[in-house]
Amino acid sequence: MNRRLGWLFALAVILPSALLAALAVRAIRREEAFIEKQLAAGLDAEVLQLAASVGEELRRVEEALAGSAPQSGAGGFAAWRKDTPLVGVPFLLTASYDLAWPRPGQGAAEREFLRRHGEFLAGRQQSTVYTNIALAFRDQILPSVGAETEPPAAAAPASAVEAEETRAAALEPEADEQAKAGAREGKSAEKAAKAEAAQQAVSAFESDREVRRKAYAQAESKGQPPAPRNVSPSAVQAEEGEATGPPPSVFVSEQLHFREMAAGRQSGLIPRLLEEGIWLLFWKRLPDGRIVGCQLDAGELRARLLGLLPPAATPVRILTLLDERGQPLFAPVEDPPRDYRRPFVAREVSELLPRWEAAAYLTDPAMVASRARLASLILWTLVGLLTVSIAGGGALVLRSLAAEVRLARQKTSFVANVSHELKTPLTSIRMYAEMLQEGRQRDPKRRRQYLGTIVEESRRLTRLVNRVLDFARLDQGRQSYAFGPLDPEALCRGVLENERPRLEQEGFAVSFEARGRRPPAGGEVRGDPEALAQVLLNLLSNAEKYSGGRREIAVELAREAGKNRIRVLDRGRGIPPGAVRHLFKEFYRADDSLTNPVQGSGLGLAIARRIVRDHGGELEYLPRAGGGSIFQVELP
Ligand code: ADP
């Protein structure tokens, strides 16, 4: 039975607790990564927003310059520079792409301009054009992710220039709407399809690591390796599982002549990434075929981009733009200065500003760890509490279950015992009564003996039934006592003198001893004499039943200050140590097998203790030196 309860405990309590704890440990381990991911996702959205707004700003810059550029050529340059702060050094190309303005010897700024861009504008040198890799390899990416390929008309190899157009369409927030509107006008359904394909390619590239890997491999094989970036974002790196060095750029580059870049277009911006930094060139085709343009004023451009930054520093993050050298456009004063090449998340800004990054940093880099620690502390505490309460509750349930089982077992053996006890006297009563009824025994002495046995056995029956009834009454709290002044010595003597003849007849040596001063008349104890006599009777009857060979019973009364102690001593078998704590429980018998020669109900001591306690006293068992038991009643 206990084994079964053990298994039950393991299954219902230990196993679920262990599972719970294992789950919690797993969750805790992932906590830091999870918090970092959440933060990274939030900051990435901000960074993306910033990068998009830089792209839009560059388009606005281009529009503004196109709108203000002089139609007349070099004649309007002075006014253009004056009215449009974005204009740095203007230039003019003839229709056959010869540099007509500025001329050497005009001024320091012009000389510098010619040194930087002269060869390129005059068509004698190529310059680098950057393209989003997802757009450059759109036609390879789309089939690999199962997207529909474009209609044949649009499926021409994506050149850098065409890619730039579709990029502008795709990355514009309302690209779809615009494209649809265009289609409705019947102008370019083809353009709409291209924009959609571009968008699909970009998102496939963003979301699928395998697509990214393939695209980079293709770029490599085509001799267009992406340049490494200026920064190593820590959150992105963790996700990609790359341990060393900055991740590759999303832009692939291509060398083109100015003529090729301008082919088929009316205006544009061209980034010139030179050793000393980036210069943006604006150009616009005039109606007569000449080209006007300018090198943008770097300070003014930076100022306009700086104006795009949302509040740069919050308690959580610092958001900023990094230029081509990895220097922040804006940096809050910090001590020690932070390493801006290691942002938390970052994105490249635009094809037109290669190597520029929109980057976010954690204001407090230890935040993720400390948040994770706090979260795991809370989780551990909860798990601890839960486990303790599950285990504690389970143990309590099992304990009461075990107690119930024990009680049920004792009640069963109680019924068996009581039936047995009822049957024995009933059998002898019936036997003697039948013998008398049939009148077979004529000897009057024998007949009196039979009658005596019948009376004695009936008494025994009555005692047994009374005991069961007493117990029921006590158990239900229906017992009522007749309290009154009482002399313990008289009580002991009375009970003992009643029992003495019978005990002595059975060979017991019975003694009584009272110590201490006798109380003044009126008594010092208040109690119900009948109930207390019942207690003594039960103890005497146990001493008699469990005495075995050494038949000595002693009753001692000790009077002390405020206390009366009555002891019933025998020289019987005593109580085994393990049984002592159950001794006073109802139905408990140290040996409750049916083969036990001593009959009993397991109620005598339970009843006795209940009565003593109802008197404010205590009934205890003490082992007796030299063998035997001491049952001690203490009355206040
Ligand atoms: P019962 O005697 O009817 O079995 P009790 O409640 O009087 O029930 O006693 C409970 C058990 O305590 C007994 O079954 C017996 O094992 C043990 N016991 C009681 N009194 C003595 C005693 N004087 N000596 C040895 N064992 C005793």
Side-chain angles (χ1 to χ4, degrees), residues 101-118:
W101 188 274
R103 301 199 170 282
Q106 268 180 329
E110 281 73 13
R111 265 205 310 282
E112 277 293 292
F113 177 89
L114 287 173
R115 185 180 62 73
R116 288 184 201 123
H117 312 298

Side-chain angles (χ1 to χ4, degrees), residues 603-635:
L603 288 178
L605 287 178
I607 292 174
R609 175 175 261 187
R610 185 75 60 90
I611 293 174
V612 174
R613 285 190 171 169
D614 285 346
H615 280 74
E618 186 55 286
L619 170 60
E620 278 171 322
Y621 165 80
L622 306 166
R624 189 175 184 190
S629 319
I630 306 175
F631 282 89
Q632 170 178 293
V633 179
E634 264 185 1
L635 290 174

Side-chain angles (χ1 to χ4, degrees), residues 417 421 467 538-539 541-547 568 570 572-576 582-585 587-592 596 598-607 621 628-631:
N417 273 323
E421 273 211 71
R467 182 167 288 193
N538 286 2
L539 296 180
S541 130
N542 277 354
E544 175 193 350
K545 281 198 291 185
Y546 301 106
S547 260
V568 178
D570 64 52
R573 61 178 90 151
I575 314 277
H582 303 296
L583 207 54
F584 298 97
K585 288 182 185 158
F587 310 121
Y588 177 80
R589 307 198 68 213
D591 174 5
D592 67 355
N596 184 357
V598 186
Q599 288 157 5
S601 56
L603 288 178
L605 287 178
I607 292 174
Y621 165 80
S629 319
I630 306 175
F631 282 89

